Amino acid sequence: MSDPDEPKPDGGTASQPEGESPELEDHPLEWDEPENNDLAPDERASVSRPAQKDDDPKLVTGQAKYTADYETQFPDLARAAVVRSEILHGYVTDIDASAAEEMDGVHAVLTPWSEGTPDAKYTSAGQSYPEPSPWDMTVLNEHVRYVGDPIAAVAAEDAETARAAAESIEVEYEEAEYVLDPEAAHSEDAPRLFEEDEVENEIVGHDYSRNRMAHIEGEIGDVEDAVAREDVHVHETEWETIRQSHAQIEPHTTLAYTDEDDRHVLVTSTQVPNHTRRQLAHLFDVPIRDVRVSKPRVGGGFGGKQAMVVEPIPLALSIAADRPVLYEATREEEFHAMRSRHPMTVRARTAVTEDGSIEAIDLYALSNTGAYGSHGMTVAGNVGSKPMPLYSKVPNARFEADIVHTNTPQTGAMRGYGAPQGTLALEGHLDEVARDLDLDPVEFRQRHYMEVGDLDEIAGMMGGEGAERRIRSCGLDECIERGKDAIGWDDVEQPDEDHLHRGIGMALSAQGTGVAGDELGAAQLMMNEDGSFHLHVGGVDIGTGADTAFIQIAAEVLGCDEEDIVIKSSDTDVTPFDYGAYASSTTYISGMAVKKAAEDAKERILYWGSKLLEEPESNLDTGDGTVYSEETGASVSLEEIGYEAAYGHDEREHILGKGTHCTEESPPPFAAQFADVTVDEETGEFEVTELVVAVDCGVAINPGMAEGQVEGANHMSYEMAVSEGITFDDEGRSEVRGFDDYDWPTAAETPTIESILVETHEPTGPFGAKSVAEVPTNTVPPALSNAIREAVGVRITEMPITAEKINAALEDDG
Amino acid sequence: MQFSLTVNGDPTSIDAAPEEDLATVLRREGYTGVKCGCDGGVCGASKVLIDGEARMACGTTVGDVDGATIVTIEGLGTQDDLHPIQQAFVDHFAVQCGFCIPGMIVQTKALLEETPDPSEAEARAAIDDNLCRCTGYQKPVEAILDAAERVNGDGAVATDGGTSPASTARGTTEDGGESHE
Ligand code: FES
Ligand code: FES
């Protein structure tokens, strides 16, 4: 199915060598922006208004349907349970499932050797085709590589029976040696996780003899040359990040059945319906048209559902059992058998002259991808390609990464997608360098950071996504100014007690918006005779409010009320194609497709308006539910147009609009983060009293929703700074089995988060929008590390920041 | 076995095994506004009012609540006529994916009955076991404080009924911080 030599870069960065880098003239500063895209704030009717979320009435009354809520519609619904590896590494030699098979109420049992178990290789990563992740998994495994690898599965009449049946299955293993530490794994004498023939679609730089699934690198200028210069200081620091769980409150859930036309239908909690459809067609060896993936309300994804994590098992079971099957991951499975953020060690090195000019930046990441390689290369690529371009004025830059397997749970895409790891290293490092050289840390950054008009070559140094780009909007200065004001940067009062010290730290961040050259969104709009509309869009709302943003964009173009648009999104049988909700692309890519579809329909609406008003179309526009003439003031309602078009005498037409959007652009949104901390120098205990984050997201389509995205992202970022994430005992078993073991900040433990939206205008985005939801995920770890350094003079480089670590550093110091 | 429960004002007789958990039973009966986000008793998504007290339905067996009065999210407002707490959550953009929200709203109802005028710290404490991954708790806390005003002010919903997230909570932090020992 795939050409294994040519996985397309996606979901982040490209790291496959891409040939010649683009020419400068490929990125002219001028952008041919349609006039209606650059509306002044007082000209916007729907966009940039905090419109109520379209699905809120359903959500707050408990009427919204998430996947599991469809249970009541299927009387013969069976429930699934999965048998998972209890060893870290080895081979399944025997499975005794006889007890399960004989149990009352059990409808199907599958093992790796069952006829109904798909045996093709695949990756769970929900990325574009061909996937830039290795095909290194099978649905049920003989060769198991972590505690949690699926081995067998059961469908039974209820959840309890399914679980009991799964527990009765006896598995015999031949254990193999395992390795947990990525550094140890990356050596030739480490236990091997993969034999060469166990992987298809291998990724650049793979070397399975030392557990490496990929190696990537890119450079502009000559870093070694710059570092060797006599007039520079060379600084080097090393940073470590946690294994963070997505911890979305709705578990991974799929309901699968085969309909009366023998087509496989999946109602599933996913961010990537179209990728899932394609991947299932591959696994089950059926045509794509015979798979339907439909996404109901989704209870959070954050990248954890940018993967085909649970869908194949219920589908295989439903075929075997000949009835619908619902599979809900348990919370324990969520923590050890779904996905998590790649833990990384990132080394930062710079060459800086005495007067503070950065001559070179060099980042190296060692990424622990766990047992399988999904999103491994692309996430690691983003460690460099997202944060480093912030400093686009630095002449020499290099990024390199090794992505290594260990016998630990699977990692995957997660909000920020590598940028949090890179941002910690870069922003912590630069802060330390500024202090070393006695420079103002803000001014030091300002001297090197992006401005409008810059050609960002660093983003392109690894080719592919984020390839060289022009910066057309940048609100960094304003983000910093407003953030400083809000947190009280210039006036930090120290507490009365001598042992308490207060400090404010800051960090900057940039992300991307969509994947340059590798995105597609599409939308269709149809007009009803009463002047209302149905909007069909492939874009995927996973709880972010995307559907509402789409409606606002369409309403702005059509000049109608938001209530007059009914949206249907993300059902592969009904809605147009879309790559899915990831890479901060939804509003920008799918939103632009919606805008185009609305404009396409508007053209026809104006045609009919012109007929009815007997005025040339060029005089006409839409607004307030009408087509009106700027010349004469005459108007006709959309309802009249709808009836006339549908039931007219001489001519009839169903007014339809379509829009498809892809682009080479990926404009960065920016953020400036501030953290206010008070540290007790006697104990190392600290209290974060406030987080302030200012974000330049271009035009916010819905400011209320955008603020919510910023605050939620910042909370996730705060967790990366102060929580342990998923930890393991000495034998390599996850210590986190439920929410009560996962030590994350609850409501009472979360400081006030103040979000500030800084409006700029991004000419390539719908009505000036770029992305908002990822960039504030990157910034709290460095800002907090910097704040603690400011408060008590010690530097914590290993996340999480704890009182013990501060205390130990203070003791070392003192 | 048959159990008699009053659910959202309706007396019903429900067939269940006594050790079955209330969340599963209520969902089976069609009250799917009761959400399940954990393996039991930790996330708060399944909170319902049991004789006026907010409790996690998943951590309660039907046998234990025979004869009780239960209120689920379905018992508060309807889509056309939201309860003031629901309206406050909408107006403050406190809802993202919405999966935690039924439990959070039910908890808010219980809070406001006990503490009609909570401080920010009290609001945060009340939802400390209502886990939410989407919002950072900032807007839900603002919504709770605003809901208190709406419920106190004779239960009327703000007349604009729409989008006026007056930042009631901002700048009134009493104890938003966290201590890490
Ligand atoms: S499902 Fe009941 S508390 Fe989590
Ligand atoms: S809104 Fe998604 S978990 Fe709270």
Side-chain angles (χ1 to χ4, degrees), chain A residues 155-460:
Chain A
E157 63 186 9
D158 56 42
E160 219 159 79
T161 311
R163 261 195 306 274
E167 268 159 35
S168 78
I169 292 176
E170 281 171 34
V171 179
E172 273 175 41
Y173 304 97
E174 181 190 312
E175 291 202 43
E177 278 190 68
Y178 62 82
V179 60
L180 300 170
D181 174 62
E183 198 127 5
H186 195 201
S187 91
E188 260 144 44
D189 17 274
R192 280 176 74 147
L193 272 79
F194 289 91
E195 302 303 327
E196 287 290 345
D197 64 356
E198 289 183 291
V199 183
E200 292 171 24
N201 190 39
E202 289 143 335
I203 299 305
V204 63
H206 67 86
D207 179 359
Y208 286 100
S209 72
R210 44 198 304 225
N211 294 312
R212 191 169 74 201
M213 66 145 281
H215 171 90
I216 52 177
E217 55 187 60
E219 183 167 11
I220 59 162
D222 188 333
V223 166
E224 284 314 321
D225 208 46
V227 167
R229 270 164 49 178
E230 276 181 6
D231 62 334
V232 299
H233 294 258
V234 177
H235 300 257
E236 190 169 329
T237 51
E238 197 174 278
W239 306 80
E240 224 169 279
T241 60
I242 64 165
R243 180 189 291 266
Q244 188 176 28
S245 172
H246 302 83
Q248 74 302 318
I249 308 297
E250 181 206 24
H252 287 79
T253 308
T254 299
L255 195 159
Y257 62 95
T258 300
D259 73 8
E260 61 277 18
D261 299 320
D262 290 333
R263 296 174 67 250
H264 305 304
V265 183
L266 293 104
V267 180
T268 186
S269 184
T270 182
Q271 298 173 231
V272 283
N274 282 97
H275 293 329
T276 300
R277 178 178 68 159
R278 187 193 71 240
Q279 290 168 298
L280 286 171
H282 159 65
L283 268 183
F284 287 83
D285 198 20
V286 295
I288 279 182
R289 64 172 169 270
D290 285 342
V291 182
R292 173 181 191 177
V293 177
S294 141
K295 172 212 73 80
R297 295 297 90 193
V298 166
F302 315 111
K305 295 170 182 171
Q306 193 205 330
M308 188 171 68
V309 180
V310 289
E311 287 84 352
I313 289 177
L315 180 54
L317 285 171
S318 82
I319 295 169
D322 197 19
R323 66 182 63 219
V325 172
L326 175 68
Y327 177 34
E328 282 178 275
T330 64
R331 189 49 60 179
E332 185 176 341
E333 285 176 311
E334 283 292 330
F335 282 112
H336 70 230
M338 297 297 128
R339 301 293 177 267
S340 58
R341 196 188 287 291
H342 295 75
M344 292 192 201
T345 305
V346 186
R347 193 199 65 214
R349 192 162 69 130
T350 48
V352 185
T353 63
E354 189 68 42
D355 63 352
S357 158
I358 306 175
E359 296 302 312
I361 296 180
D362 185 16
L363 289 192
Y364 168 79
L366 178 65
S367 175
N368 181 354
T369 191
Y372 295 95
S374 78
H375 294 280
M377 172 189 78
T378 40
V379 163
N382 277 268
V383 174
S385 70
K386 290 294 181 280
M388 291 175 80
L390 254 185
Y391 301 103
S392 56
K393 295 189 171 27
V394 173
N396 304 290
R398 180 169 65 192
F399 176 69
E400 212 174 315
D402 287 303
I403 302 98
V404 172
H405 285 294
T406 58
N407 295 103
T408 58
Q410 290 203 63
T411 49
M414 186 164 177
R415 198 176 196 173
Y417 206 82
Q421 294 93 324
T423 305
L424 169 65
L426 186 60
E427 288 298 287
H429 177 86
L430 292 182
D431 195 80
E432 198 53 42
V433 172
R435 286 167 193 284
D436 240 38
L437 298 175
D438 221 9
L439 300 165
D440 176 71
V442 178
E443 195 263 333
F444 178 55
R445 288 177 171 89
Q446 274 166 332
R447 280 169 62 175
H448 301 90
Y449 73 40
M450 274 178 173
E451 289 173 301
V452 171
D454 281 0
L455 181 77
D456 172 14
E457 291 178 87
I458 296 182

Side-chain angles (χ1 to χ4, degrees), chain A residues 66-146:
Chain A
Y66 302 80
T67 300
D69 301 333
Y70 287 82
E71 63 177 332
T72 50
Q73 298 178 11
F74 294 90
D76 58 344
L77 185 69
R79 304 295 185 122
V82 176
V83 179
R84 296 181 176 278
S85 169
E86 287 176 6
I87 64 167
L88 280 82
H89 191 200
Y91 296 85
V92 174
T93 52
D94 194 32
I95 297 176
D96 181 358
S98 51
E101 275 156 359
E102 281 153 27
M103 220 175 258
D104 273 352
V106 168
H107 298 303
V109 178
L110 293 175
T111 73
W113 306 302
S114 306
E115 211 187 302
T117 303
D119 59 1
K121 300 260 180 230
Y122 75 109
T123 174
S124 65
Q127 299 173 292
S128 65
Y129 175 81
E131 294 100 0
S133 288
W135 291 7
D136 53 8
M137 303 174 60
T138 49
V139 174
L140 299 174
N141 295 281
E142 278 182 72
H143 184 173
V144 290
R145 299 179 176 90
Y146 72 103

